[in-house]
């Protein structure tokens, strides 16, 4: 099963299933109650260095994706990725992200990686 993707600023829906925030930083101006996050997986988010380097520049997207996948393959990330795989296998999951760009963000990379593992 492949997770859904959704901006965290959109209202929660009944069919979201388990709502997992995959950003390293909490989204600006959003209360924890309004976000309705079930799990915040900071450890699966891109490193601060990678996040700052990319800074949502579309021209850097393919390089960002490659670097982020390399980060996800690191031993210290395996537990967080395995946790996400188990959640997706157990039922509906929505990956939440704060980026304005709905196409070029880490949730897309994670969803593609999960689809490859399925």
């Amino acid at each position: 099963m492949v997770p859904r993707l959704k901006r965290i600023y959109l209202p929660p829906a009944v069919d979201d299933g388990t709502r997992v925030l995959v950003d390293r930083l909490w989204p600006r101006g959003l209360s924890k109650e309004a976000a309705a996050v079930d799990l915040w997986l900071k450890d699966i988010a891109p490193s601060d260095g990678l996040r700052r380097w990319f800074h949502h520049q579309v021209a850097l997207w393919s390089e960002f994706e490659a670097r982020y996948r390399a980060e996800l393959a690191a031993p210290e990330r395996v537990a967080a990725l395995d946790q996400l795989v188990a959640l997706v296998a157990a039922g509906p999951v929505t990956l939440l992200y704060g980026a304005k760009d709905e196409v070029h963000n880490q949730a897309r990379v994670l969803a593609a990686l999960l689809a490859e593992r399925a």
Side-chain angles (χ1 to χ4, degrees), residues 19-98:
R19 293 170 52 87
V20 181
L21 177 60
V22 295
D23 279 350
R24 186 160 299 279
L25 304 174
W26 189 262
R28 291 183 186 187
L30 191 64
S31 71
K32 293 189 181 198
E33 294 78 28
V37 170
D38 296 307
L39 178 65
W40 183 9
L41 277 180
K42 294 179 204 177
D43 293 339
I44 208 165
S47 66
D48 280 333
L50 181 57
R51 180 181 58 81
R52 290 177 186 184
W53 171 82
F54 177 50
H55 199 59
H56 298 288
Q57 296 177 56
V58 176
L60 300 175
W61 173 247
S62 60
E63 181 64 21
F64 168 80
E65 186 174 13
R67 290 183 184 193
Y68 183 37
R69 282 176 173 263
E71 284 189 356
L72 291 170
E76 63 271 14
R77 300 289 184 103
V78 171
L81 190 56
D82 287 346
Q83 184 178 8
L84 188 55
V85 168
L87 280 172
V88 171
V93 171
T94 298
L95 301 181
L96 303 169
Y97 59 91

